[in-house]
Every structure is written in C-alpha cells, then in structure tokens.
Amino acid sequence: MSPAGVRRTRFGAAGLVTLAGLGLAGCADVEVAQRRTCESLLPVIEPPGAAITILKVEPDPRRAGNVLVRYRSLRPDPDGISPDPVEASIACAFGGVGFEAGKETLVGVETPQGLVSELQLHLLRRFWLGDPLAVRQAMRGVARGPEAQPTGLFAADPATGYFLQQLVNAIAPSALYALLAIAYALVYGLTGRINFVFGDVAMLGAYGSLIGVAAAVTAGLGTPAVALPLALMVAAAVGETWSRFGGRFVFLPLAGRGAQPVLVATIGLSIAYQEFVARAQGVKERFLPPILGEPHLLAEGAFEVVATTMQLLVGAGSSVLVAGLLLWLSRSRFGRDWRAVSDDPGMARLLGVDTDRVLVTTFALSGLLAGLAGAILTTHYGGTSFHMGTVIGLKALVAAILGGIGSPAGAVLGGIAIGLVETFWSAYNEIVWRDAAVFSLLAALLVLKPEGFLGTRAALEERGPRI
C-alpha cells in the first residue's frame, strides 16, 4: 500500500491489539519523540482535506505510559455544506517499559473508530512513519491550539537551536572525561607517574553499575529512583576496590624505581583487568537501555532543543561532585597531605606524613571517580564491553594533559574541552575523524602551551619519582 493509500484508510474496530500500560507509573510528562509520533498519525486517520487542530497532548489517564492526543477536525462534506467541527482523540502505546528498549516504537493505536489491527499498524509504521518527508509535509497543515503548543524556556532559530543542542549533548562526555582526568591528575601529581589502568577501572565500574541495576530489577525494585543510586554505589565501590588493590600491591612497590617499570606494570595490570572481565562476563557487549531518557523541551523553534532527565542529572551531579572534591582537597587534612607529598615527599615524611597511606588513599579516591565515570557510560549510553576502557582512558589522559598534568582543577577544564571537541566535531564534521581531531588538539597544545591550561613549567619539567 502506498503512503497515499494509507492516508485514505479509515480504521475500523477490527483488531485485537491491546494497549498495554507502558512507561513509568506516575510519569506526568509526555516524551517528545512519543508526542511527535502520535501527532503525526492525525493526517492518516482523518479523511484527506480535513482541517485538523491539535487541542492537547497528555498522558492517557486510563493507562500510564500511553499518549493521548485530543484534536478538532473539520471534515470536508461531499455535498458542499460546511459541517460542524468534530472533537475526538487518539491514544498511542509504545514498546518498552522501565529499563527495556523500544520506548519510541509504536505498538498500538486507538482511534475514534476503535483499535487498529496488527496489519494496519504494520502499514502505518512501514509506509507512513517510515517516510519522514511525507509526515513533515502533512504536519505543516495541522494547526495547534494554545494548550498544544510546545513550551520551552525560549525560542531559537534553527542554527542557534542546533548549536545549543550540541552543548546539551556534550554534558555527559564532558562529565565522563572530567572525572577520569581528575583520577589521572591526582596520581600523577603525587607520584610523577601515569597510571594507564584508570580507563579499565571505569570499565569495571560500568559493569558494576550494570550489576547494580540487575540486582534492583531482580529484587523487584527496578524503578530509577532505586536502581540508579544502587548502580552508582556499586560502581563507586568496585572502582575504589580495584584501584586500591592496584595502588597497594602494584604501584606502591614500584613507585621509586623509575618510569619504565611503572609503565610496564600498569599496562600489564590493564590487560589483566580486561582479561578478567572477558572471562567473567563474556566478550560480547552488554547493553542496558539508557535510564531516565525522557526528553524535556528547553528551547522551541524549527529545531527544538531537548535535554533528557539523565543528562540533567549527570550535569548537576558531576558539577556538585567536582566542586565538592576540589573544595575538600583544598580544606581537608588529606588534601594538605597530598599537596605536601606532591611538593616534597622527603620533607613530608620528616614532618610525620604517611606517604604510603596518602598514595593508597589517592588511588582509592581516583578509582572511585573512575567507577562513577563508568556508571555514566552504562546508565546514559547503555553499552559496555571489556575492552572499552582503553580508548576512553587515553582520551581522559589527553584531557589531563590539556588541563595541566597533575592539576585536578585543570583536569576538569581538560575534560570539558575534550567533551566539547568530540561533540561539536561529530555534529559539524565527519564522525570518523573525531578521534583524530581530539589527538590533533593535544599535539597543537603541546606545541603552543606544553604545560596545559593550569599547569606550570616547573611541574612539567619535574619527571623523577616523588615517592
């Protein structure tokens, strides 16, 4: 059946598709993608030439998770007599609930004439929703009432809206790289050595968050309010434990023996972590559908700017965590000990600072941050694999170098810079060259400002072991 034929179809009461109660119970907002999908069905279910006005889009009060579109239709009369407008509504159900995939997949439609059949639903998805150009052209003739207008914080033109959307998209990668870059900076600032394991610690944290969500769902507590905090706690605990182990039994015995033994040992530990996860969890990529992916409209216009609940939580949570960490490092006893050992470990020992304890605690703190970075990967992006830590760790190391190696505050700036470069390059250029652009930025900065954003020449030139 052609798109035109589908538009002329008048759906009757045939069909036994049950509109299941999908989505999170009690959710008061309608997701942007679901709203658009349900609205785009109006030109199909109404006769050709009907003047349609959308009155309101809201959650279906009969079943949580369904979308209800109320509208007014002025249908053409063959006799030429102007008919009275008819007010009606359609309900749409979407696949996926809780942590399942498919929240944007239309699985059922109820029109004023009744439920559509499975065949009609297939034709809708295949020939109508599968033709975005025809949908856009048809929706240009659909009007909106005051209550159906999308409301954002402000209106933006298409170019500005697209730019702002990329800023929103950069929140998660910037937070990810900032947390990992701080982990690199804390260890390097203390020891003068780079620990290549943190990317794999983030991978372990990602698997830990996956296990936390699975445990919550198994216990019947699969709502985001329970599963997300549990995932973060498990990821932080896993990252802290494995990093403390590496710092205590691998890094500490080699810290004073030069760069090469530490380099070989950390690379070997990285391979060991990867192989352990590959044997314990399998080599296939594990997938957790993104949590709290409901988009919220920020700016309206020809290109709408939206942010998901998870993006907002990641941005706010990471900002609070980073600000609190930097404040804690500047005010706490551990922060003073860390700076003392970083500046002069010999004098710190003479003054009673336990340098071994500071190093192991630094590894534990860095591992906790790396574990939380891994949780962002799983809960926001969904996918995780045993080998993903290598590239992520290298990019986070680039972020730490950009910020000024050994400077936690500079690492934050470097992480934000890498997140922005990755996002905007992918948006305005070919994505296959994204990683090349990131490493080219590092090369340029090493030539123009080798000490990084907040680093110093003295810190850059000091290459010897400090512990």
Side-chain angles (χ1 to χ4, degrees), residues 164-406:
L164 293 176
Q165 184 63 64
Q166 306 318 310
L167 288 178
V168 173
N169 295 342
I171 292 176
S174 296
L176 167 68
Y177 294 132
L179 293 177
L180 274 177
I182 295 175
Y184 279 107
L186 286 174
V187 170
Y188 185 90
L190 190 70
T191 66
R193 297 287 177 257
I194 293 175
N195 179 19
F196 286 98
V197 182
F198 284 126
D200 299 289
V201 174
M203 176 267 295
L204 290 167
Y207 275 93
S209 63
L210 184 66
I211 293 171
V213 171
V217 173
T218 303
L221 303 173
T223 61
V226 176
L228 183 57
L230 183 59
L232 294 176
M233 288 189 292
V234 174
V238 168
E240 189 270 348
T241 301
W242 284 92
S243 184
R244 182 188 291 270
F245 170 83
R248 176 66 182 85
F249 296 103
V250 177
F251 207 94
L252 182 60
L254 299 174
R257 298 190 180 182
Q260 187 173 0
V262 173
L263 176 64
V264 173
T266 56
I267 293 177
L269 188 59
S270 171
I271 296 174
Y273 284 171
Q274 292 182 24
E275 289 302 313
F276 168 75
V277 174
R279 304 287 80 78
Q281 298 292 330
V283 297
K284 292 184 178 180
E285 183 174 356
R286 297 298 182 90
F287 181 78
L288 175 71
I291 302 173
L292 297 176
E294 301 83 6
H296 305 279
L297 187 63
L298 300 182
E300 52 190 295
F303 190 93
E304 295 179 346
V305 181
V306 298
T308 66
T309 304
M310 180 55 73
Q311 285 175 320
L312 298 176
L313 288 177
V314 167
S318 300
S319 299
V320 172
L321 176 62
V322 168
L325 176 65
L326 295 179
L327 181 63
W328 181 69
L329 288 175
S330 66
R331 302 276 181 95
S332 68
R333 178 178 177 178
F334 170 78
R336 292 191 297 270
D337 290 348
W338 184 87
R339 290 193 300 275
V341 176
S342 176
D343 290 339
D344 193 334
M347 181 59 69
R349 289 193 194 94
L350 291 176
L351 295 176
V353 177
D354 187 344
T355 56
D356 291 353
R357 178 187 61 82
V358 172
L359 184 141
V360 174
T361 304
T362 299
F363 266 84
L365 176 60
S366 299
L368 185 148
L369 296 174
L372 291 176
I376 293 176
L377 277 170
T378 301
T379 56
H380 180 70
Y381 295 105
T384 182
S385 63
F386 77 97
H387 57 77
M388 72 176 189
T390 302
V391 175
I392 294 172
L394 286 176
K395 291 181 180 179
L397 178 59
V398 171
I401 296 173
L402 288 178
I405 191 69

Side-chain angles (χ1 to χ4, degrees), residues 417-453:
I418 295 298
L420 290 172
V421 169
E422 273 200 355
T423 303
F424 277 91
W425 182 275
S426 302
Y428 291 96
N429 299 280
E430 292 187 22
I431 194 172
V432 294
W433 296 102
R434 181 188 62 188
D435 292 346
V438 170
F439 292 114
S440 297
L441 173 65
L442 173 63
L445 188 69
L446 289 177
V447 172
L448 300 176
K449 189 175 174 57
E451 66 272 20
F453 296 146

